[in-house]
């Protein structure tokens, strides 16, 4: 049986086949963010690149909303809530993640921390949006985290012993970023269910800019190398991730359980590892493949039989 979920205003009505494909497309698009970030870091400081990305995404979303006749919020309160959700869902989250990695937190450890987000979402969702999880779904969430840990643990072991030790503050900031996207997801689910997805996304990137611009000015030299490679990375970050993947994520949050949408993040690090192998010749181990299989099982259990 499938749940009947009411449509929000001006929501598109895709066919059943398209609906079934949306989670897979979202995971594939979102997983490219790790490779794109590694590539873009060669030509711009991380937070500075995020400012460019958010600026272009907000402008394009506004133009898209005007062209498609999207409905803007009917009150300042709703508009402010969209901005606030963007501050947590995009601004604080990616700023914390990018800064922590820049301060020496290994990408593998950052991936494990990100893998905790669905568990936090599942724990907090009953209090914020009244969702309930069955025992099999809780088992799926735990298996998802175990799979991610198995997939990325070899990279943690491969850290150069002579490298600078990882300090506690960047790790805590990374954890705070994971908590931020968790809160932003639930805030979106609770306060913006009936708002137009298109205008919500546009206002969310305004919120992301409110957070990221001051941080970039305080923490970076605003380094940008205006080359074709930078524009290529920026184009994919804006069109593929900020517009394509985020629109799908907002759709998943709107149409399904918050925990179900969050559990899909489990598949991102393993896919990113495969892409890094294909593009940057990074090795793939048997443990990575095993971790991917466990994560897939966890996502299946979490998505099966929603309470």
């Amino acid at each position: 049986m499938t749940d009947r979920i009411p449509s929000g205003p001006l929501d598109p009505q895709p066919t059943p086949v398209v609906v079934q494909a949306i989670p897979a497309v979202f995971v594939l698009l979102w997983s490219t963010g790790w490779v794109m970030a590694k590539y873009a870091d060669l030509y711009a400081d991380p937070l500075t690149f995020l400012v460019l990305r958010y600026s272009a995404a907000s402008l394009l979303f506004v133009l898209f909303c005007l062209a498609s006749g999207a409905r803007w919020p009917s009150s300042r309160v709703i508009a402010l809530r969209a901005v606030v959700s963007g501050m947590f869902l995009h601004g604080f989250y990616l700023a914390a993640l990018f800064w922590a990695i820049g301060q020496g937190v290994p990408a593998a450890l950052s991936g494990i921390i990100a893998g905790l987000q669905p568990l936090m979402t599942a724990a907090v969702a009953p209090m914020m949006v009244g969702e309930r999880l069955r025992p099999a779904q809780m088992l799926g969430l735990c298996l998802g985290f175990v799979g991610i840990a198995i997939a990325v643990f070899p990279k943690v072991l491969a850290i150069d012993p002579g490298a600078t030790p990882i300090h506690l503050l960047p790790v805590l900031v990374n954890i705070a970023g994971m908590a931020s996207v968790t809160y932003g997801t639930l805030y979106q689910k609770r306060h913006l269910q009936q708002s137009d997805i298109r205008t919500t996304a546009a206002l969310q990137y305004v919120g992301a800019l409110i957070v990221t611009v001051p941080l970039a000015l305080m923490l970076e030299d605003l380094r940008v190398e205006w080359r074709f490679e930078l524009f290529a990375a920026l184009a994919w970050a804006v069109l593929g991730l900020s517009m394509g993947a985020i629109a799908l994520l907002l759709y998943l949050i709107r149409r399904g359980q918050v925990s179900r949408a969050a559990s899909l993040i489990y598949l991102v690090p393993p896919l990113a590892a495969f892409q890094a192998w294909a593009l940057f010749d990074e090795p793939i181990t048997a443990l990575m493949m095993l971790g991917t299989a466990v994560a897939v099982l966890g996502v299946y259990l979490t998505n099966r039989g929603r309470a």
Side-chain angles (χ1 to χ4, degrees), residues 246-304:
I246 290 299
L248 293 180
L249 176 60
L250 293 178
Y251 182 86
L252 288 170
I253 293 173
R254 172 72 62 85
R255 297 287 174 168
Q257 283 186 318
V258 175
S259 303
R260 180 184 182 186
S263 69
L264 297 171
I265 303 298
Y266 281 138
L267 296 179
V268 171
L271 280 174
F274 282 110
Q275 293 168 14
W277 167 75
L279 297 176
F280 298 104
D281 200 27
E282 294 185 3
I284 295 179
T285 65
L287 286 178
M288 288 184 181
M289 292 186 287
L290 174 62
T292 301
V294 174
V296 169
L297 176 61
V299 171
Y300 169 75
L301 291 176
T302 303
N303 290 348
R304 190 187 68 173

Side-chain angles (χ1 to χ4, degrees), residues 21-304:
I22 285 177
V25 174
F26 163 72
V27 171
L28 181 60
L29 285 176
W30 196 249
S31 66
T32 64
W34 297 88
V35 176
M36 183 278 303
K38 181 176 181 179
Y39 182 76
D41 186 60
L42 299 173
Y43 308 103
D45 288 335
L47 297 181
T48 302
F49 182 81
L50 286 178
V51 171
L52 296 174
R53 170 180 170 178
Y54 294 151
S55 299
S58 59
L59 176 60
L60 290 178
F61 259 113
V62 168
L63 294 176
F64 174 68
C65 291
L66 295 176
S68 60
R71 181 181 301 172
W72 291 91
S74 56
S75 69
R76 293 182 179 179
V77 173
I78 297 177
L80 179 61
R81 285 175 175 173
V83 172
V84 171
S85 68
M87 294 173 68
F88 289 95
L89 198 60
H90 305 311
F92 288 118
Y93 169 54
L94 286 182
L97 189 150
F98 274 59
W99 183 85
I101 292 178
Q103 294 297 311
V105 176
L109 178 57
S110 181
I112 293 177
I113 295 173
L116 295 173
Q117 190 252 333
L119 295 179
M120 178 176 286
T121 301
V124 179
M127 295 179 288
M128 289 193 64
V129 295
E131 289 186 359
R132 294 178 298 165
L133 293 176
R134 295 176 180 175
Q137 291 176 293
M138 292 299 298
L139 175 61
L141 289 169
C142 293
L143 285 177
F145 172 70
V146 171
I148 292 302
I150 294 174
V152 301
F153 192 62
K155 293 186 178 181
V156 176
L157 292 179
I159 298 174
D160 184 1
T164 303
I166 302 172
H167 297 292
L168 180 60
L169 179 59
V171 174
L172 294 177
V173 170
N174 204 151
I175 295 174
M178 180 268 297
S180 173
V181 73
T182 299
Y183 179 79
T185 301
L186 295 171
Y187 187 94
Q188 160 89 17
K189 180 75 173 179
R190 182 175 184 180
H191 294 294
L192 298 169
Q193 276 293 89
Q194 301 303 317
S195 60
D196 191 290
I197 292 178
R198 295 163 290 183
T199 54
T200 296
L203 292 171
Q204 283 178 333
Y205 283 117
V206 174
L209 281 171
I210 292 174
V211 172
T212 311
V213 169
L215 292 176
L217 292 173
M218 290 187 298
L219 301 176
E220 294 182 346
D221 297 326
L222 307 182
R223 176 183 64 89
V224 177
E225 297 180 19
W226 300 104
R227 301 173 53 175
F228 171 79
E229 292 85 352
L230 174 69
F231 287 105
L234 187 61
W236 179 251
V238 173
L239 299 177
L241 296 173
S242 292
M243 297 194 71
I246 290 299
L248 293 180
L249 176 60
L250 293 178
Y251 182 86
L252 288 170
I253 293 173
R254 172 72 62 85
R255 297 287 174 168
Q257 283 186 318
V258 175
S259 303
R260 180 184 182 186
S263 69
L264 297 171
I265 303 298
Y266 281 138
L267 296 179
V268 171
L271 280 174
F274 282 110
Q275 293 168 14
W277 167 75
L279 297 176
F280 298 104
D281 200 27
E282 294 185 3
I284 295 179
T285 65
L287 286 178
M288 288 184 181
M289 292 186 287
L290 174 62
T292 301
V294 174
V296 169
L297 176 61
V299 171
Y300 169 75
L301 291 176
T302 303
N303 290 348
R304 190 187 68 173

